[in-house]
Amino acid sequence: MTGINDQTGRHSPADPAVLAADTPAEERAATQSLGDIVGDLTQDFSTLMRQEIALAKAEATQQAKHAGKGAGMLGGAGYAAGLVILFLSFALMWALGDLLDHIGWGALIVALLWAVVALVLFLLGRKALKQVEPMPETVDSVKHIPEALNTTEEQR
């Protein structure tokens, strides 16, 4: 007699394989059917994948906020650059119109100030975008999936 119940595919508690089990994992392996073990493995893997997707979503949201801030600063730099063009145009117009009075030099100074503002906003925006990382926790967590699938008796 093999000690296996033909209807359930499980070993009986009196089976020598069950009695010889030293650890809970060996006892579970001896008493559960292969289908139950595969089902448990499939369920654990499915749970792991759902958790990894949730982590990726959370990290993506956080990184999108950082990217939005950098993009906003770059937009401000674009607006300031537009003002530079506007004031340079006024400066040229007034400089040509008031060649001897120098009215256009005032507009030129304002345009140069806007150029400095545009540069500062551009540099701050670029710095903010460089801080955006490609979901470091998710990448690290996904790297550990093969380790989690190859468990030892001590980890059970």
Side-chain angles (χ1 to χ4, degrees), residues 67-85:
K69 182 179 176 182
M73 287 185 189
L74 288 176
Y79 176 75
L83 289 175
V84 167
I85 293 171

Side-chain angles (χ1 to χ4, degrees), residues 33-138:
S33 70
L34 182 60
D36 289 342
I37 293 172
V38 170
D40 289 346
L41 178 63
T42 302
Q43 183 178 4
D44 290 346
F45 188 73
S46 176
T47 300
L48 176 64
M49 288 298 105
R50 279 194 301 274
Q51 290 171 345
E52 289 301 324
I53 290 170
L55 176 61
K57 284 180 182 178
E59 280 189 317
T61 300
Q62 183 181 24
Q63 294 302 327
K65 288 179 184 178
H66 289 294
K69 182 179 176 182
M73 287 185 189
L74 288 176
Y79 176 75
L83 289 175
V84 167
I85 293 171
L86 175 68
F87 282 110
L88 284 174
S89 297
F90 283 147
L92 180 60
M93 180 181 71
W94 287 345
L96 293 174
D98 296 326
L99 189 57
L100 299 175
D101 259 356
H102 302 289
I103 295 173
W105 292 114
L108 181 61
I109 291 171
V110 173
L112 291 176
L113 288 174
W114 277 110
V116 170
V117 169
L119 178 64
V120 168
L121 287 174
F122 172 77
L123 293 174
L124 288 174
R126 188 175 66 175
K127 180 181 176 184
L129 287 176
K130 284 184 178 180
Q131 292 176 349
V132 175
E133 296 180 23
M135 300 184 287
E137 292 179 28
T138 301

